[in-house]
Amino acid sequence: MEATVHNDKLACQDVCSHNTDRCTLSDMFLDTANKNPTGVAIRHDGIEYSYRELETKSSLIAASLRSIYVSSGDIIGVYMERNVDMIAAIFAILRIGCVYLPLDVRYPIERTARIQHSARPKLIITDDTNSCVLQNNGLTNIYSLNTNSLTDVLTDEQSRNYIAPDSLAYIMYTSGSTGSPKGVCIEHRSVENLIAWAKTVYSKRELSTVLFSTSVCFDISIFELFVPLCTGGSVVIARDAIDLIFEDLNGVTLINSVPTVMDVVCNSTCLPSSVTTVNLAGEELGINLVESLYENKGLERIFNLYGPTENTIYSTACELIRGQTTKPLIGRPIRNTNIYILDGDLSPVCDGEKGEIYLSGHGLARGYLNDITLTDDAFIELRINENLVRCYKTGDMGRISHSGEIEYLGRTDSQVKIRGIVLR
């Protein structure tokens, strides 16, 4: 399908070429660990783990996976409790050129079984307790991990395998508007683009201690893990964002959440005074929540972010000012991202007019796993300034405001979300 688009005014101005020598998540993590070996990488249940400890754990797991004939490009599921071993397993998968498939132990086992049937991973890494859960429910190819029994590590040469930037990094299953889980395939370079953008928007102080509170099956978790751990920051593991009400999370500087969850938190407690920045995404944001958040001591910045899983988490960003009284907008495209507002004939609408949001740029997914038809329906080519550009049809409606920022106007279908999770 082709269409001619003449209005390219929302094209992101910060278009940079990728550094193809260091554009994979595994190399970015290793570079960070080598530069900051004694720095705190993970904090969980009052215990701190250095970058050296996390790197060593991931190296042990990676060598173990290699020993059982896992090959580059294999899909490997991770069905583990939220702890340092889970994060080490994720980086181990990436280090040997495999594809990370997140599976949440708190999700219904039926959903995990459907994802396994669809993705057909080479194996699922788990622990002893959850191994029994998987086996008792008929799941196969289970690899029960005990990091205390591992002794072999990867050599330096094996750790620097120079995976191509366009290799798959992870497959994130999302129901979207179809009601059936579909696997979104994201490449290393797409996450690298997100990390590069984050480094230009957030200070080192803001990224120094990031809360990991989102389900691994929700794409915000990619930001919470990879942005800090590829830039020298620390990750604080929480069961979920509601733990802000019950746990001592002092020291956390940046929180990602969906508005409904943050609203519960705001009505129940104050944010730790260390929190300077809150990112909100996944749902439409109301101005009352923004006002409530800014009442927290120490909070300096709130961002309203928008983006589907199919475009690597965040596609637009808008910093909301203190005392703002107007409806929060979703802002402008992030680094190397273009947005087009089109009508039903795939022609650009005028500023202020309603249309469907289409996305293009470095964040676009490769497509949906094992579903060419669905991929071809959602990812289409548009003719833009005499060039064919691959775009994602979001199903979201929006318009360009008088300020040049984008206003979100709901869905074209009956998609329903609860706490940012798509139900149908």
Side-chain angles (χ1 to χ4, degrees):
M1 182 184 299
E2 293 185 18
T4 301
V5 177
H6 300 292
N7 180 6
D8 197 23
K9 67 179 293 183
L10 282 181
C12 177
Q13 298 302 309
D14 181 19
V15 179
C16 307
S17 60
H18 284 293
N19 179 353
T20 55
D21 293 331
R22 282 290 179 269
C23 198
T24 66
L25 299 173
S26 48
D27 279 340
M28 293 175 70
F29 168 68
L30 288 173
D31 285 343
T32 303
N34 287 335
K35 293 175 182 176
N36 190 30
T38 60
V40 176
I42 307 292
R43 196 177 89 206
H44 183 221
D45 285 344
I47 301 174
E48 294 182 344
Y49 302 87
S50 70
Y51 271 92
R52 180 183 289 119
E53 290 173 307
L54 180 60
E55 189 279 325
T56 299
K57 277 181 174 286
S58 73
S59 182
L60 289 165
I61 298 170
S64 177
L65 292 174
R66 276 273 175 85
S67 71
I68 57 174
Y69 305 109
V70 169
S71 302
S72 180
D74 285 342
I75 299 171
I76 301 181
V78 177
Y79 189 82
M80 301 176 69
E81 300 296 334
R82 298 170 68 87
N83 55 35
V84 66
D85 285 349
M86 183 195 74
I87 297 174
I90 293 171
F91 278 106
I93 290 168
L94 298 174
R95 287 176 73 161
I96 58 175
C98 292
V99 184
Y100 158 54
L101 175 69
L103 302 167
D104 195 319
V105 299
R106 293 185 296 162
Y107 278 23
I109 192 65
E110 294 80 10
R111 187 179 193 275
T112 299
R114 287 199 302 271
I115 291 175
Q116 187 194 40
H117 178 75
S118 171
R120 302 200 177 280
K122 181 71 172 286
L123 54 85
I124 297 176
I125 300 177
T126 187
D127 47 49
D128 289 340
T129 301
N130 288 303
S131 176
C132 295
V133 172
L134 295 174
Q135 292 173 353
N136 291 340
N137 285 275
L139 279 80
T140 57
N141 301 330
I142 310 303
Y143 181 63
S144 187
L145 182 67
N146 182 352
T147 56
N148 293 326
S149 66
L150 302 179
T151 57
D152 295 330
V153 296
L154 290 184
T155 65
D156 288 343
E157 183 179 356
Q158 289 171 326
S159 293
R160 297 290 188 181
N161 52 25
Y162 296 99
I163 307 161
D166 60 356
S167 298
L168 284 186
Y170 66 88
I171 298 171
M172 186 80 65
Y173 269 77
T174 177
S175 295
S177 57
T178 65
S180 300
K182 53 184 184 292
V184 182
C185 301
I186 301 293
E187 299 172 350
H188 282 261
R189 60 182 174 185
S190 295
V191 187
E192 183 274 339
N193 183 69
L194 178 83
I195 295 170
W197 165 77
K199 290 170 66 176
T200 67
V201 174
Y202 305 99
S203 68
K204 287 186 177 181
R205 180 171 69 105
E206 288 173 302
L207 296 178
S208 65
T209 315
V210 176
L211 184 67
F212 171 41
S213 61
T214 306
S215 166
V216 291
C217 292
F218 192 22
D219 62 355
I220 289 177
S221 67
I222 299 297
F223 182 104
E224 294 175 334
L225 289 176
F226 291 106
V227 171
L229 292 177
C230 289
T231 59
S234 303
V235 170
V236 176
I237 302 176
R239 191 177 68 91
D240 58 39
I242 301 300
D243 280 1
L244 282 167
I245 300 172
F246 306 107
E247 291 189 3
D248 177 13
L249 296 176
N250 284 321
V252 169
T253 54
L254 188 148
I255 297 174
N256 292 272
S257 187
V258 296
T260 49
V261 171
M262 192 52 65
D263 193 46
V264 172
V265 171
C266 279
N267 288 329
S268 303
T269 189
C270 294
L271 296 180
S273 59
S274 58
V275 175
T276 65
T277 308
V278 171
N279 290 336
L280 296 170
E283 299 168 339
E284 195 164 358
L285 175 60
I287 194 62
N288 290 339
L289 177 57
V290 177
E291 294 175 354
S292 296
L293 281 169
Y294 268 131
E295 291 175 359
N296 284 272
K297 180 181 178 180
L299 190 64
E300 298 173 2
R301 300 209 291 172
I302 300 173
F303 285 88
N304 190 26
L305 299 124
Y306 161 83
T309 304
E310 288 84 349
N311 198 47
T312 314
I313 315 167
Y314 297 144
S315 304
T316 70
C318 182
E319 184 175 351
L320 305 176
I321 63 173
R322 193 183 302 268
Q324 181 172 332
T325 58
T326 56
K327 174 185 176 181
L329 303 177
I330 60 173
R332 300 177 184 272
I334 73 165
R335 178 185 191 266
N336 293 324
T337 298
N338 297 338
I339 290 188
Y340 309 101
I341 312 294
L342 308 179
D343 62 20
D345 295 323
L346 299 181
S347 296
V349 301
C350 297
D351 288 2
E353 291 185 359
K354 184 177 181 179
E356 185 171 355
I357 298 173
Y358 286 73
L359 303 170
S360 72
H362 292 342
L364 280 195
R366 184 182 294 183
Y368 299 113
L369 183 67
N370 301 326
D371 199 327
I372 296 175
T373 300
L374 194 60
T375 297
D376 289 344
D377 288 342
F379 295 88
I380 65 174
E381 285 191 333
L382 303 178
R383 187 168 295 280
I384 300 171
N385 296 336
E386 305 306 320
N387 296 313
L388 284 177
V389 177
R390 185 169 180 264
C391 296
Y392 172 65
K393 175 183 171 68
T394 67
D396 293 322
M397 303 300 291
R399 65 183 167 207
I400 304 172
S401 70
H402 67 276
S403 66
E405 296 182 308
I406 301 165
E407 179 183 0
Y408 175 78
L409 297 172
R411 294 285 301 172
T412 61
D413 54 32
S414 57
Q415 183 185 92
V416 175
K417 287 185 178 182
I418 293 181
R419 292 185 177 178
I421 306 296
V422 176
L423 296 186
R424 50 169 298 197

